[in-house]
Amino acid sequence: MPDSTAPFTHVTSATSAASAATRGTSVAESETARGRRARAALRALQVVLALFFAFASAFPKLIGHSSAAEIFQEMGWGSAGMYAVGALELAGAAGLVLPLVQSAAAIGLSGLMVGAFVVQLTVFDGEQAATPVILLVPLTLIAWARRRQNGQLLRVVRRRG
């Protein structure tokens, strides 16, 4: 027996998607089942990247692990540069999971990855230049998908300023 609500559900989903598009809502914010799945996938990606940046990238720098210290010594940045980059990565990781600053954090981490790419090319002869580029792709996606938060953040900052 065919489901008599199937056409209605399809029309409702299409109408919701169309109204979301009309309101200027991105797919990551739409109310359709597809939009909910997209939001969940985006959120999972943000958590995975936050964990990576916090534990695999920032933590070794902040504890002064020898592998990180050697790299920063070779670049000529010393321990101050290592701690600064580690702190920025940890702040970015935290920002990826905080609702109001997710886009700003992704933009900031993207800037770090562009810098890391340049350093890999110039100091280390492109040895591991693919890593920051690979990380740049999902960070750009997050920054774009959460871009509406930038306006909200700006309004909050202006109110408090």
Side-chain angles (χ1 to χ4, degrees), residues 44-121:
L45 178 62
Q46 288 174 238
V47 169
V48 168
L49 283 173
L51 290 171
F52 170 81
F53 276 106
F55 293 107
S57 195
F59 186 68
K61 293 174 183 83
L62 294 175
I63 65 168
H65 193 270
S66 61
S67 63
E70 290 170 9
I71 291 170
F72 279 86
Q73 287 300 332
E74 188 176 336
M75 288 188 307
W77 293 17
S79 60
M82 178 180 67
Y83 292 128
V85 170
L88 289 170
E89 289 175 339
L90 186 60
L96 283 175
V97 295
L98 296 174
L100 192 58
V101 295
Q102 293 167 345
S103 180
I107 292 168
L109 286 170
S110 294
L112 279 176
M113 292 302 98
V114 169
F117 177 72
V118 170
V119 167
Q120 289 295 331
L121 288 179

